[in-house]
Amino acid sequence: MTDILPSTFAIIPLAAAIGLVVLTVASALRTRTYGRRLAAGDILWPAAHIALLAVMAYLCHAGMCIFEPGALVIFSLVVEAAGALTLARSAIAGVLDRMDPASGRILRPVRDVALMTAASVLSVWALERAWNAQYARIPILFFGVAVLVVLLAMLALYFAGQRTGALCTLAVAVCGGFGVAQYFIQQFKSAAILPSDLLALQTAAAVSGGYTYQIDRAVAESLIAVAVALTCLSFIQPAPAPERWRRAARVGVNLCCAGAVAAAMALGFTTVNFEEALDFTYDRWWPIATYSSCGFIPSFIAVAQDLPIPEPDDYTDEQADEAEDALVAAYDATLGQNPSRIAAEQQFAEVKPAIITIMNESFSDLSVYDGLREAGYTGPAYYNSLSDTLQRGCLMASTNGGGTANSEFEYLTGNSIAFVGNGKYPYQLYNLSNIDSLPKQLAALGYRSRAVHPQSPTNWNRSMVYPQLGFEDFISNDDFDEDAPHYHSGVTDRVTYDKVLEHLREDDGPQFIFDVTMQNHSGYDAGTVPEDEPMDFAPAGVTDANLLTQLNTYLTCIEASDRDLTYLIDQLRTIGRPVVLVFFGDHQPNMTTALNDVLYPGEDNLSHQWRLFESTYFVWANYDVAGNDQMSFNQELSINELAAQMLYMIGAPLTDYQKALLASRSEITSISANGYRGADGLCYELDANSPYRSLVDELRTIQYRNFARKIR
C-alpha cells in the first residue's frame, strides 16, 4: 500500500488554488476595466475548481491521501488549468457565435449537446473510476447506457436552467459524489450503495464516525474528470434574446422541454426493464459483484426497479389462506400435540414471564471459520459454555456487515427479507402500522413493550417505526447518562443491560423489552479498544495487516460483550421474577467478507456466501420451563422464526402465521435473503428447483398476504 502523503504536500493543491484565485480576480478586473458586465458565471465556474483544490489541500493536510506526490501534482495542475479555461468561456463562445450564420440557432445547440455528451462521459467515468477496479472491463453497451441516462438528466437540467450549463453541474456532482461514496462503502463494508440506502442517510451519518477516511489515486483521478466535466459545461451559454416577450416565451418553452425530458425518463424507468433490455441479472446475494462488472448506473437502476414487492404468480388471498391453513393443520397435528408444549402452555398462563430480547450489534462466533479456529480461537467463552439454555444454535441472517434494521424487522414481525427483496429496508420504505408484530401480540396478553437503543431515535427511522410496531416506550441516547461508560463504538452492553434490569425491578407487570446494543459497531481500526486488550490471532494465509487488525479488534469487542453477558445472566438468575432471555447477533462484522475470501478461495458461490450470513442465538430462562430440560438443545433457525420458536417453547399463544412458520421447519430449517436449508441438510438458492420449491412458493404467498398486502 502507498504511504500516506505528508501533510506538507498540502501546499501543492493550495498553491494551485491560490493561483486560480489570482487569475480569477485578474480576469474580473480586466472585464470591468473594459467596461463589460461581470457575469456570475465568471466567478462561480472557477470557484468550483478552487473548491476542489481546497478540498484536496485539506485532505492532504489531514493525512487522508494515500497516493504518490506525482499524482497530486498532476491533479493540481489539471484542475487549475481546467478552472483557468473557464475564464475564457465568454470569448470562446463569442467566436463560435460569429461563425454561425444563423445567429446561434445551428451551431449553438450542436455545441451544447456535444459539451453535455462529453460531460456525461466524464461523469460516468468519474463515477466508476473512483471505486471500481474493473471499470475498464465494463461492456461498452452498459457504459453507453449509463452515459445516455446521465445525458438525459443533463438535458432536462439544461432546459430547466434556461439552456445554460449551471444546473447540469448537479448531474456531475451526483456522479462524482456517488463515486466517492461508493469508494468508502467498498472500503468499509465491501457492499454496494442500494436505492434504499438513500432513505437511510441520516442513520449512515450518525454511525460514520468509527471509520478511517483516506482516498487513493483512483479518487483523485475521478475528481480530475469532475473538474474537466465542469469546464465543458461552463461553455454552455444561451443566445441573448433582445425582446422581453421573447425572453418570457423562451422560459416557458424551456420549462416545457425540461418537463418532457423528465417525463420520458420516468416513463422509461417504469416501462423498460433494465435486466431484460440489457440481458443481465444482478446478483441479489451480492449486488457489489454486479455493480463492478456491469457498472454502477445500470445496476443501481435494476435494483431500484426491483424495489416493489412482486406479487407471486397467480396470487389470490384464497390461495394464501389455503396454504396457511394446511400448515396450521400440520402444526396442530404434530407440534401442537406435543406434551411439552401443552405443559408449557399451562405454565405460561400462570407465570407470564418477562421476555427480554438482546439483539447484540455484530455479535457472532467467528470460530465457524476453520482457519480462525485452527489458529486457536474457540469463540466467546461464556456464551458458548452456557449449558442451561432452552435452545441455541446457528442463526441465519439476511445481511452481512450492516443492515441491522432488517434483522430487527425479521425478528419483530416474523417476515423474511427473502420475500421482501434483498437490499430493501422495510423500516425506511413502508408504514408498518397494519403489520402484525411481537409487541402487538404480547400487548394483547397484557405485556408492556419497551425498546432500548443507545443511539439517536431517528436512526433507521426507529422513532416512527417502533410506535407502528407497538412499542409503548423507546429508551434512546437521550435517556442514558452523558458520562456512561463507552467501549469501542458506543455505550457498553452492560449500560444497556442495566436499563433493562432497572425496568424489570421497577415494574413487576408482564414486560417485553427489546434491547439493541451499539458497542460492537464497525469499524474495527487499531486504537478503538484499550491498548492492553486486543487479541492476537493470525489465521494461516491471512497476511493483510489491516485485515488482521480489524479481525482482532472485533474479537476483542466480542470478548467485552461476553463479559457483559456474564453480568446480565448473573443478575437475571437472582432477580426474583421469571424471565425469558433471547440473545442473538444481528449479522457478522463487515471484515468477514475479506476473511472469507482469503480462507476459502475457489469455493462455489453458494457455499462461499452462505458462511457470511451465519450468526448465533440462544433462548434462556431463569426458571424451570415446563416440558423443557434446558440442556441447550441445538438447532439452526432463521431470524424471522426466532420469536415464534421462543413463544412455542415457553407456552405462549401463537398466531396462525407463527404456527405455519414452525410447521414449515419440518422441511425447511432456515430461510433468509440468501437462500434456505432443506431437511436434507443442503443449502439452496431461493429460486432453485429443489425438493422444497413448492413450500418456498407457499411461504412466499403467505407472507405476501401477511405483509405486502397490508402495506399498500
Side-chain angles (χ1 to χ4, degrees), residues 192-382:
I193 296 175
L194 304 177
S196 50
D197 291 330
L198 303 184
L199 299 172
L201 292 179
Q202 188 172 14
T203 297
V207 300
S208 62
Y211 299 110
T212 299
Y213 293 88
Q214 296 174 332
I215 64 169
D216 61 12
R217 179 171 180 164
V219 176
E221 292 177 358
S222 170
L223 295 179
I224 289 175
V226 167
V228 176
L230 292 176
T231 300
C232 290
L233 295 177
S234 73
F235 289 96
I236 299 177
Q237 300 182 68
E243 300 176 13
R244 181 176 298 178
W245 71 270
R246 287 186 176 178
R247 289 199 297 269
R250 177 188 288 178
V251 169
V253 170
N254 286 337
L255 291 177
C256 288
C257 290
V261 175
M265 292 184 69
L267 181 64
F269 177 81
T270 57
T271 59
V272 178
N273 186 300
F274 263 53
E275 286 190 88
E276 293 180 0
L278 297 178
D279 192 25
F280 79 108
T281 300
Y282 83 83
D283 191 332
R284 284 158 174 80
W285 276 15
W286 211 239
I288 188 64
T290 306
Y291 276 58
S292 298
S293 60
C294 298
F296 187 100
I297 290 177
S299 303
F300 186 89
I301 293 175
V303 176
Q305 290 179 325
D306 196 38
L307 276 179
I309 300 174
E311 183 176 286
D313 295 338
D314 303 320
Y315 173 85
T316 64
D317 287 345
E318 292 75 16
Q319 181 187 43
D321 290 339
E322 290 175 3
E324 183 176 86
D325 289 345
L327 287 170
V328 170
Y331 168 89
D332 290 338
T334 54
L335 295 171
Q337 297 299 315
N338 190 312
S340 297
R341 167 64 181 176
I342 294 172
E345 287 176 346
Q346 295 171 347
Q347 182 189 48
F348 181 86
E350 300 174 2
V351 173
K352 290 283 185 70
I355 299 174
I356 311 302
T357 296
I358 307 296
M359 190 177 79
N360 196 282
E361 171 64 41
S362 300
F363 189 96
S364 61
D365 182 355
L366 295 192
S367 64
V368 298
Y369 289 83
D370 295 335
L372 187 53
R373 190 170 60 253
E374 291 166 2
Y377 182 70
T378 56
Y382 180 79

